[in-house]
Amino acid sequence: MRRPGGWWRVKSTPEKVETYTRWSFHFFGVIEILALGVTAYGRTGAGLATALCLLVTAHAAVCMLVSSRALDWTRGRRPQPVRPMWALVVVSAVVSITAVVIAERGPSGEVETAAGSVYGGVLCYAAGVITLGVHGRRRRVAVVGAFAVGAGLLTFPLEMPLLASVVLAGLVMVTGGFLAVTSIFSLWLLNAVYALDDAKETRVRLAVAEERLRFGRDLHDVMGRNLAVIALKSELAVQLSRRGRPEAVEQMIEVQRIAQESQREVRDVVRGYREAALEVELAGARGVLSAAGIVSEVTGETAGLPAEVQSALGWVVREATTNVLRHGDAKKVAVTVRMSEGRVVLTVENDGVAETTGDGPPGGPGGAAGPGGSGLSGLRERLSAVDGTLEAGPVGKGVFRLTAEVPLPAAAAGAALGVAS
């Protein structure tokens, strides 16, 4: 069962920013209802106030719809919301004209103020929202200018002075422009967050590609020369064999020796590629977490630990760091290495715990297990080879902790304690 607030935790950072932006636009509609519709009850009778409030509510609902569709269009999920934008223009015109009629034919006094507020307010909000659905600075300026001109022209039935009409048009231009700039900046910020997230994923993919290239170069350096020598000696052995020369046997023995040496060198390359040194992994984790904007704190000593222990714990650090970057939303990660009663204890703790999926929580090193021993199952297999144990799970509010313990041989434990002291 999903815990309260779990829907928010499972979202990535860009998705959280998008949710905040979307509901900010909806909140503008709520402000419109409160500022223009509800306040009408204190300025005129209940009947006219209710009519004005219903008009403003309908206009705010259309504004919310257009802003949501425009946001999806900006992210490439929907076509441009042309029809909803024209619907907003029509609704704005209807509400404005109705407010003009109420102000002209209704009782004098406060009703004119209430209707005037609705008249100017809906045009300002509409101008700010419609700019979300268009591209280009000139088009957005044209939209706000059109609403400002329309606000001035609709005042002529009220027989307002020319100066008052110009001032009203100017207010719509300034207020609508301010709302437009605010909305457009919110969209720009959202797109920037998504771009940064894509850049982080690209950086991870490039790091993987670079490692593959390094591995390929190492194999080429090892095998290229040896295969060339094997080919030459094999050809020489063929020629000698055709001539009945006994040296052919010596050449084939040399080919066999070079082939066996090549196998050994390839195993060394693969072993070096697969093994993870704890000290190297801790330094790499610190660097990649800092690059991702995550505060990292690494404490403890790794000197004196056996190679197999360092390799097993290095894989724990690597897997934990990878899953924090991929699945969590951590702001801080703490890695601690300590000696305790002949055992080395590695703790990785982060504050980006999320909902449990697959082999473990995405906020920790518990991604779904797959071939090659990824996830918690793969880590437990690696640790079991050195009689180690692994525990992982949330501790406290929003905190995920992974603890790996590996026993040390007596000699290694004494050396490690000596270094620590």
Side-chain angles (χ1 to χ4, degrees):
M1 183 175 180
R2 179 170 292 185
R3 295 172 298 176
W7 67 274
W8 177 261
R9 294 191 184 96
V10 299
K11 289 179 177 291
S12 64
T13 298
E15 290 173 343
K16 290 178 180 179
V17 176
E18 180 178 348
T19 302
Y20 170 79
T21 303
R22 189 182 300 274
W23 283 101
S24 296
F25 292 152
H26 294 341
F27 188 65
F28 284 162
V30 175
I31 293 177
E32 179 183 2
I33 296 173
L34 296 177
L36 303 179
V38 176
T39 56
Y41 283 95
R43 299 177 179 177
T44 184
L48 288 176
T50 301
L52 291 173
C53 188
L54 291 177
L55 290 173
V56 171
T57 301
H59 184 268
V62 179
C63 285
M64 294 179 185
L65 175 63
V66 171
S67 62
S68 181
R69 295 290 178 86
L71 181 58
D72 290 336
W73 169 64
T74 302
R75 296 302 312 154
R77 304 190 189 106
R78 290 178 179 267
Q80 187 178 17
V82 177
R83 291 185 178 180
M85 288 193 297
W86 278 112
L88 179 58
V89 172
V90 173
V91 172
S92 301
V94 170
V95 174
S96 300
I97 293 173
T98 304
V100 169
V101 172
I102 292 176
E104 184 178 13
R105 299 186 179 182
S108 59
E110 294 294 331
V111 68
E112 295 181 358
T113 303
S117 299
V118 172
Y119 170 76
V122 296
L123 295 178
C124 294
Y125 277 102
V129 170
I130 289 182
T131 53
L132 294 173
V134 295
H135 275 161
R137 183 182 303 175
R138 294 183 178 180
R139 293 181 179 179
R140 289 164 176 164
V141 172
V143 168
V144 178
F147 273 92
V149 172
L153 293 177
L154 287 176
T155 58
F156 283 102
L158 296 177
E159 298 181 355
M160 293 179 60
L162 180 60
L163 180 60
S165 299
V166 172
V167 171
L168 180 59
L171 289 175
V172 173
M173 173 70 79
V174 173
T175 307
F178 174 77
L179 292 175
V181 170
T182 302
S183 301
I184 294 169
F185 178 77
S186 298
L187 286 183
W188 174 85
L189 182 61
L190 175 62
N191 291 330
V193 171
Y194 270 105
L196 289 174
D197 187 68
D198 293 340
K200 184 174 71 173
E201 293 182 0
T202 302
R203 185 170 61 248
V204 173
R205 288 195 296 268
L206 288 176
V208 173
E210 183 178 355
E211 183 65 14
R212 288 174 177 172
L213 288 175
R214 184 196 67 80
F215 183 60
R217 288 194 301 266
D218 291 345
L219 281 180
H220 178 270
D221 294 341
V222 169
M223 296 299 297
R225 175 181 58 83
N226 291 347
L227 289 176
V229 175
I230 288 173
L232 290 174
K233 287 188 173 293
S234 298
E235 183 179 356
L236 178 59
V238 170
Q239 296 297 331
L240 293 174
S241 178
R242 288 176 178 176
R243 298 176 185 178
R245 302 281 297 273
E247 291 87 350
V249 177
E250 297 178 1
Q251 295 297 326
M252 291 308 300
I253 292 175
E254 183 67 14
V255 168
Q256 183 182 20
R257 185 191 67 78
I258 296 174
Q260 293 173 349
E261 181 69 16
S262 298
Q263 289 180 333
R264 184 188 63 78
E265 292 180 352
V266 168
R267 284 195 295 269
D268 290 341
V269 170
V270 174
R271 186 181 300 110
Y273 178 72
R274 289 181 177 176
E275 287 182 353
L278 180 57
E279 186 174 357
V280 174
E281 292 300 327
L282 289 174
R286 185 187 294 108
V288 72
L289 291 172
S290 299
I294 301 175
V295 178
S296 59
E297 180 181 349
V298 180
T299 57
E301 292 291 337
T302 61
L305 297 178
E308 62 273 12
V309 174
Q310 291 208 32
S311 178
L313 294 180
W315 271 104
V316 175
V317 175
R318 180 184 297 184
E319 187 73 17
T321 304
T322 300
N323 283 279
V324 166
L325 293 174
R326 288 182 178 177
H327 308 296
D329 190 23
K331 301 297 184 296
K332 183 178 180 180
V333 176
V335 182
T336 304
V337 181
R338 59 185 177 86
M339 308 296 170
S340 176
E341 298 179 355
R343 303 176 68 87
V344 57
V345 181
L346 170 68
T347 303
V348 182
E349 187 174 293
N350 70 84
D351 58 357
V353 67
E355 289 296 311
T356 301
T357 58
D359 200 20
S374 61
L376 294 181
S377 298
L379 293 179
R380 289 192 174 97
E381 291 178 2
R382 293 182 182 276
L383 290 173
S384 64
V386 289
D387 298 328
T389 60
L390 181 70
E391 294 181 0
V395 290
K397 185 177 181 181
V399 178
F400 186 91
R401 179 185 298 163
L402 182 147
T403 303
E405 295 188 12
V406 178
L408 293 174
L417 290 175
V419 172
S421 59

